[in-house]
Amino acid sequence: MSERSTPRALVMLLVAASAVVVLAGIKAVNTILGPIVLALVLVVAVAPIRGWLVRRRAPSWLVVAVPFSVVIVVLLGMVAILTTAVVQMATLLPGYSGQFNKLVADAQAWAAARGIAPQVNQALRSFDPGKMLGIAQSLVSSVLGVVSSLFLIVVLLLAMSLDAPVISRIIAAAAAERPAITKALTTFADRTRRYLLVSTIFGLICAALDVVALYVLSVPLPLLWGVLALITNYIPNIGFVIGLVPPALLALLTGGLRSMILVIVAYMVINIVVQSFIQPKFLGDAVGLSTTVTFLSLILWATVLGPLGALLAIPLTLLTRALFIDSDPGLKWSTALVSGELPANRPGS
């Protein structure tokens, strides 16, 4: 009998089925895998500090301690700011019940004057001032949930920081025998660091400008919304909208419709100009992902890993690309589909 090759459609179907099974397994353990990926990305981000210390012949304990300390200070600082601000939010929200009732009454009067009162009243019934306390309590619970997983993240960071120098030497030694996978992992680390660096710089710029605008417009807790703008800057495509909603709603409660419109306009001018016109020129080809792939990766990882998956969507997609596409030189056209760029012509190809 002559040997037959497996039909391509069957191969694609088996790959798709395997991917569904793997993603379902990842979702089942997302509370563990999420912190692992976050710790990995943070260790990769501070690798240049570790490399600088190694080149300066620093003691081995210092090579581990300094990058680990940098990550811990940044992580704990951000959690402390968010925790403090959310606690303030929890005490602030219940005090706006009077303003909320006034907004509801104004909306009902406006609807009655235009003959659409039944529809508006039905929509307003879903908003209960008493729910504002519940929202505040849920925010506190969410922060406490992050703090409870912080211990796991710190332990993972310490373990990975201890192993990082050895892993770096192993990857460098494997370059001769496994050049493709070594290059893929190195490219993943470089692109992840550049993505984080550029996103952080422009996120800080947007956050600072947002805080100034909120101070000028007298919106409560501007620091909280500035930190939120910085964090949501790591979420591709929809991060800007997520960071805009809470301060806009709070501006509506404190200053009315005009204040909310001013907040929306200020955010749009600041964030769209910086993120749409300036940031891409500095980011360049650091990510190596097409716009469609970036958006689909956000949906996929947010579904599988939750909010942490949305924050880590780009690094997770870069890691997946490195392991399954870039490590195989024969998949150059798959790389082109993911990156949106034609592969370079190679002699003899």
Side-chain angles (χ1 to χ4, degrees), residues 6 9-10 55 61 82 102 105 113 126 137 159 175 184 193 204 209 225 241 260 274 278 298 300 304 324:
T6 306
L10 179 58
R55 289 192 297 272
W61 66 269
L82 283 174
K102 183 178 183 302
S126 60
Q137 291 173 343
R193 281 193 292 269
L204 287 171
L209 294 175
W225 310 130
V241 179
M260 183 182 72
V274 173
I278 302 177
L298 171 65
L300 174 65
V304 174
F324 296 102

mmCIF file of all heavy atoms in Angstrom, residues 6 9-10 55 61 82 102 105 113 126 137 159 175 184 193 204 209 225 241 260 274 278 298 300 304 324:
data_model
loop_
_atom_site.group_PDB
_atom_site.id
_atom_site.type_symbol
_atom_site.label_atom_id
_atom_site.label_comp_id
_atom_site.label_asym_id
_atom_site.label_seq_id
_atom_site.Cartn_x
_atom_site.Cartn_y
_atom_site.Cartn_z
ATOM 1 N N THR A 6 -1.575 12.892 5.510
ATOM 2 C CA THR A 6 -2.791 13.270 6.221
ATOM 3 C C THR A 6 -3.406 14.495 5.563
ATOM 4 O O THR A 6 -2.697 15.461 5.277
ATOM 5 C CB THR A 6 -2.468 13.582 7.680
ATOM 6 O OG1 THR A 6 -1.785 12.478 8.267
ATOM 7 C CG2 THR A 6 -3.740 13.866 8.464
ATOM 8 N N ALA A 9 -7.008 19.498 5.845
ATOM 9 C CA ALA A 9 -8.203 19.902 6.591
ATOM 10 C C ALA A 9 -8.295 19.149 7.914
ATOM 11 O O ALA A 9 -8.683 19.724 8.947
ATOM 12 C CB ALA A 9 -9.455 19.653 5.752
ATOM 13 N N LEU A 10 -7.917 17.851 7.899
ATOM 14 C CA LEU A 10 -7.956 17.059 9.129
ATOM 15 C C LEU A 10 -6.917 17.566 10.121
ATOM 16 O O LEU A 10 -7.179 17.644 11.331
ATOM 17 C CB LEU A 10 -7.717 15.588 8.814
ATOM 18 C CG LEU A 10 -7.708 14.626 10.017
ATOM 19 C CD1 LEU A 10 -9.026 14.694 10.771
ATOM 20 C CD2 LEU A 10 -7.407 13.203 9.557
ATOM 21 N N ARG A 55 27.521 42.043 33.913
ATOM 22 C CA ARG A 55 28.666 42.615 33.196
ATOM 23 C C ARG A 55 29.587 43.380 34.133
ATOM 24 O O ARG A 55 30.785 43.507 33.868
ATOM 25 C CB ARG A 55 28.168 43.539 32.082
ATOM 26 C CG ARG A 55 27.515 42.794 30.923
ATOM 27 C CD ARG A 55 27.301 43.711 29.737
ATOM 28 N NE ARG A 55 26.387 44.807 30.048
ATOM 29 C CZ ARG A 55 25.057 44.742 29.915
ATOM 30 N NH1 ARG A 55 24.499 43.606 29.478
ATOM 31 N NH2 ARG A 55 24.297 45.773 30.201
ATOM 32 N N TRP A 61 24.316 37.207 44.719
ATOM 33 C CA TRP A 61 23.140 37.576 45.501
ATOM 34 C C TRP A 61 22.606 38.942 45.084
ATOM 35 O O TRP A 61 21.396 39.183 45.092
ATOM 36 C CB TRP A 61 23.465 37.575 46.999
ATOM 37 C CG TRP A 61 24.447 38.635 47.423
ATOM 38 C CD1 TRP A 61 25.806 38.528 47.503
ATOM 39 C CD2 TRP A 61 24.142 39.977 47.817
ATOM 40 N NE1 TRP A 61 26.373 39.707 47.920
ATOM 41 C CE2 TRP A 61 25.374 40.617 48.124
ATOM 42 C CE3 TRP A 61 22.964 40.705 47.949
ATOM 43 C CZ2 TRP A 61 25.454 41.941 48.546
ATOM 44 C CZ3 TRP A 61 23.029 42.025 48.370
ATOM 45 C CH2 TRP A 61 24.260 42.630 48.658
ATOM 46 N N LEU A 82 -3.709 51.800 44.634
ATOM 47 C CA LEU A 82 -5.054 51.361 44.264
ATOM 48 C C LEU A 82 -5.900 51.038 45.488
ATOM 49 O O LEU A 82 -7.077 51.382 45.550
ATOM 50 C CB LEU A 82 -4.974 50.137 43.338
ATOM 51 C CG LEU A 82 -4.603 50.413 41.882
ATOM 52 C CD1 LEU A 82 -4.428 49.105 41.123
ATOM 53 C CD2 LEU A 82 -5.664 51.265 41.210
ATOM 54 N N LYS A 102 -31.432 63.409 42.167
ATOM 55 C CA LYS A 102 -31.717 64.620 41.396
ATOM 56 C C LYS A 102 -31.559 64.368 39.895
ATOM 57 O O LYS A 102 -32.366 64.826 39.081
ATOM 58 C CB LYS A 102 -30.793 65.749 41.847
ATOM 59 C CG LYS A 102 -31.073 67.084 41.149
ATOM 60 C CD LYS A 102 -30.153 68.174 41.668
ATOM 61 C CE LYS A 102 -30.488 69.516 41.004
ATOM 62 N NZ LYS A 102 -30.394 69.472 39.539
ATOM 63 N N ALA A 105 -34.569 62.472 38.743
ATOM 64 C CA ALA A 105 -35.744 63.345 38.631
ATOM 65 C C ALA A 105 -35.651 64.233 37.395
ATOM 66 O O ALA A 105 -36.649 64.432 36.677
ATOM 67 C CB ALA A 105 -35.871 64.195 39.894
ATOM 68 N N ALA A 113 -41.567 65.571 29.279
ATOM 69 C CA ALA A 113 -41.796 66.689 28.367
ATOM 70 C C ALA A 113 -41.757 66.262 26.905
ATOM 71 O O ALA A 113 -42.319 66.937 26.039
ATOM 72 C CB ALA A 113 -40.756 67.782 28.624
ATOM 73 N N SER A 126 -33.614 50.229 36.807
ATOM 74 C CA SER A 126 -32.463 49.341 37.005
ATOM 75 C C SER A 126 -31.358 50.026 37.807
ATOM 76 O O SER A 126 -30.424 49.371 38.253
ATOM 77 C CB SER A 126 -31.901 48.871 35.660
ATOM 78 O OG SER A 126 -31.485 49.980 34.888
ATOM 79 N N GLN A 137 -18.508 48.288 47.858
ATOM 80 C CA GLN A 137 -18.062 47.102 48.576
ATOM 81 C C GLN A 137 -17.433 46.076 47.637
ATOM 82 O O GLN A 137 -16.452 45.411 47.984
ATOM 83 C CB GLN A 137 -19.230 46.492 49.336
ATOM 84 C CG GLN A 137 -19.719 47.351 50.498
ATOM 85 C CD GLN A 137 -20.989 46.803 51.132
ATOM 86 O OE1 GLN A 137 -21.693 45.971 50.546
ATOM 87 N NE2 GLN A 137 -21.302 47.276 52.326
ATOM 88 N N ALA A 159 11.261 32.941 43.102
ATOM 89 C CA ALA A 159 11.745 31.700 42.492
ATOM 90 C C ALA A 159 12.298 31.947 41.090
ATOM 91 O O ALA A 159 13.376 31.452 40.733
ATOM 92 C CB ALA A 159 10.616 30.675 42.450
ATOM 93 N N ALA A 175 22.026 27.947 21.889
ATOM 94 C CA ALA A 175 21.917 28.652 20.610
ATOM 95 C C ALA A 175 22.538 27.879 19.465
ATOM 96 O O ALA A 175 22.048 27.922 18.332
ATOM 97 C CB ALA A 175 22.561 30.031 20.721
ATOM 98 N N ALA A 184 13.751 32.704 18.833
ATOM 99 C CA ALA A 184 12.347 33.019 19.087
ATOM 100 C C ALA A 184 12.146 33.511 20.517
ATOM 101 O O ALA A 184 11.446 34.509 20.749
ATOM 102 C CB ALA A 184 11.485 31.796 18.817
ATOM 103 N N ARG A 193 9.881 43.526 26.441
ATOM 104 C CA ARG A 193 10.483 44.646 27.189
ATOM 105 C C ARG A 193 10.234 45.975 26.487
ATOM 106 O O ARG A 193 9.903 46.971 27.141
ATOM 107 C CB ARG A 193 11.990 44.407 27.364
ATOM 108 C CG ARG A 193 12.326 43.434 28.474
ATOM 109 C CD ARG A 193 13.797 43.472 28.800
ATOM 110 N NE ARG A 193 14.593 42.949 27.700
ATOM 111 C CZ ARG A 193 14.955 41.664 27.580
ATOM 112 N NH1 ARG A 193 14.582 40.799 28.497
ATOM 113 N NH2 ARG A 193 15.692 41.269 26.573
ATOM 114 N N LEU A 204 2.298 56.792 31.495
ATOM 115 C CA LEU A 204 2.560 57.804 32.521
ATOM 116 C C LEU A 204 2.232 59.203 32.011
ATOM 117 O O LEU A 204 1.687 60.034 32.749
ATOM 118 C CB LEU A 204 4.028 57.731 32.953
ATOM 119 C CG LEU A 204 4.413 56.535 33.829
ATOM 120 C CD1 LEU A 204 5.924 56.468 33.983
ATOM 121 C CD2 LEU A 204 3.734 56.612 35.195
ATOM 122 N N LEU A 209 -1.459 63.746 32.488
ATOM 123 C CA LEU A 209 -2.334 64.737 31.865
ATOM 124 C C LEU A 209 -3.790 64.529 32.282
ATOM 125 O O LEU A 209 -4.531 65.504 32.501
ATOM 126 C CB LEU A 209 -2.204 64.667 30.342
ATOM 127 C CG LEU A 209 -0.830 65.070 29.781
ATOM 128 C CD1 LEU A 209 -0.789 64.830 28.276
ATOM 129 C CD2 LEU A 209 -0.523 66.528 30.097
ATOM 130 N N TRP A 225 -7.983 57.668 39.275
ATOM 131 C CA TRP A 225 -8.273 57.550 37.842
ATOM 132 C C TRP A 225 -6.997 57.683 37.019
ATOM 133 O O TRP A 225 -6.904 57.130 35.919
ATOM 134 C CB TRP A 225 -9.294 58.602 37.436
ATOM 135 C CG TRP A 225 -10.494 58.618 38.326
ATOM 136 C CD1 TRP A 225 -11.050 59.703 38.942
ATOM 137 C CD2 TRP A 225 -11.276 57.489 38.734
ATOM 138 N NE1 TRP A 225 -12.117 59.324 39.704
ATOM 139 C CE2 TRP A 225 -12.287 57.970 39.605
ATOM 140 C CE3 TRP A 225 -11.217 56.120 38.475
ATOM 141 C CZ2 TRP A 225 -13.223 57.138 40.190
ATOM 142 C CZ3 TRP A 225 -12.148 55.292 39.067
ATOM 143 C CH2 TRP A 225 -13.142 55.794 39.911
ATOM 144 N N VAL A 241 -11.217 53.270 26.802
ATOM 145 C CA VAL A 241 -12.630 53.363 27.171
ATOM 146 C C VAL A 241 -12.842 52.898 28.609
ATOM 147 O O VAL A 241 -13.599 53.510 29.376
ATOM 148 C CB VAL A 241 -13.489 52.538 26.201
ATOM 149 C CG1 VAL A 241 -14.959 52.601 26.599
ATOM 150 C CG2 VAL A 241 -13.300 53.033 24.772
ATOM 151 N N MET A 260 -19.411 65.949 32.875
ATOM 152 C CA MET A 260 -19.120 64.656 32.266
ATOM 153 C C MET A 260 -18.629 64.831 30.832
ATOM 154 O O MET A 260 -17.674 64.171 30.394
ATOM 155 C CB MET A 260 -20.363 63.760 32.289
ATOM 156 C CG MET A 260 -20.106 62.365 31.729
ATOM 157 S SD MET A 260 -21.581 61.309 31.685
ATOM 158 C CE MET A 260 -22.479 62.095 30.332
ATOM 159 N N VAL A 274 -2.119 61.092 22.041
ATOM 160 C CA VAL A 274 -0.894 60.433 22.491
ATOM 161 C C VAL A 274 -0.823 58.998 21.988
ATOM 162 O O VAL A 274 0.191 58.564 21.418
ATOM 163 C CB VAL A 274 -0.795 60.480 24.027
ATOM 164 C CG1 VAL A 274 0.385 59.654 24.520
ATOM 165 C CG2 VAL A 274 -0.657 61.915 24.506
ATOM 166 N N ILE A 278 1.163 59.612 18.465
ATOM 167 C CA ILE A 278 2.553 59.713 18.920
ATOM 168 C C ILE A 278 3.128 58.356 19.299
ATOM 169 O O ILE A 278 4.208 57.976 18.835
ATOM 170 C CB ILE A 278 2.651 60.689 20.117
ATOM 171 C CG1 ILE A 278 2.115 62.068 19.718
ATOM 172 C CG2 ILE A 278 4.092 60.803 20.599
ATOM 173 C CD1 ILE A 278 2.102 63.069 20.850
ATOM 174 N N LEU A 298 -6.759 40.059 22.644
ATOM 175 C CA LEU A 298 -7.407 40.667 23.811
ATOM 176 C C LEU A 298 -8.662 39.899 24.200
ATOM 177 O O LEU A 298 -8.871 39.568 25.376
ATOM 178 C CB LEU A 298 -7.744 42.123 23.507
ATOM 179 C CG LEU A 298 -8.625 42.844 24.536
ATOM 180 C CD1 LEU A 298 -7.907 42.977 25.862
ATOM 181 C CD2 LEU A 298 -9.052 44.207 24.015
ATOM 182 N N LEU A 300 -9.459 36.792 23.406
ATOM 183 C CA LEU A 300 -9.131 35.421 23.800
ATOM 184 C C LEU A 300 -8.603 35.352 25.223
ATOM 185 O O LEU A 300 -9.130 34.610 26.067
ATOM 186 C CB LEU A 300 -8.098 34.847 22.823
ATOM 187 C CG LEU A 300 -7.535 33.475 23.184
ATOM 188 C CD1 LEU A 300 -8.637 32.424 23.121
ATOM 189 C CD2 LEU A 300 -6.386 33.099 22.263
ATOM 190 N N VAL A 304 -10.117 33.785 28.759
ATOM 191 C CA VAL A 304 -9.475 32.639 29.404
ATOM 192 C C VAL A 304 -8.951 32.984 30.797
ATOM 193 O O VAL A 304 -9.135 32.223 31.751
ATOM 194 C CB VAL A 304 -8.323 32.111 28.517
ATOM 195 C CG1 VAL A 304 -7.545 31.012 29.241
ATOM 196 C CG2 VAL A 304 -8.875 31.573 27.201
ATOM 197 N N PHE A 324 5.230 28.610 19.124
ATOM 198 C CA PHE A 324 4.559 27.789 18.118
ATOM 199 C C PHE A 324 4.769 28.243 16.674
ATOM 200 O O PHE A 324 4.491 27.473 15.750
ATOM 201 C CB PHE A 324 3.051 27.754 18.404
ATOM 202 C CG PHE A 324 2.706 27.098 19.706
ATOM 203 C CD1 PHE A 324 2.383 27.854 20.818
ATOM 204 C CD2 PHE A 324 2.731 25.722 19.842
ATOM 205 C CE1 PHE A 324 2.060 27.264 22.028
ATOM 206 C CE2 PHE A 324 2.424 25.117 21.053
ATOM 207 C CZ PHE A 324 2.098 25.890 22.142
#
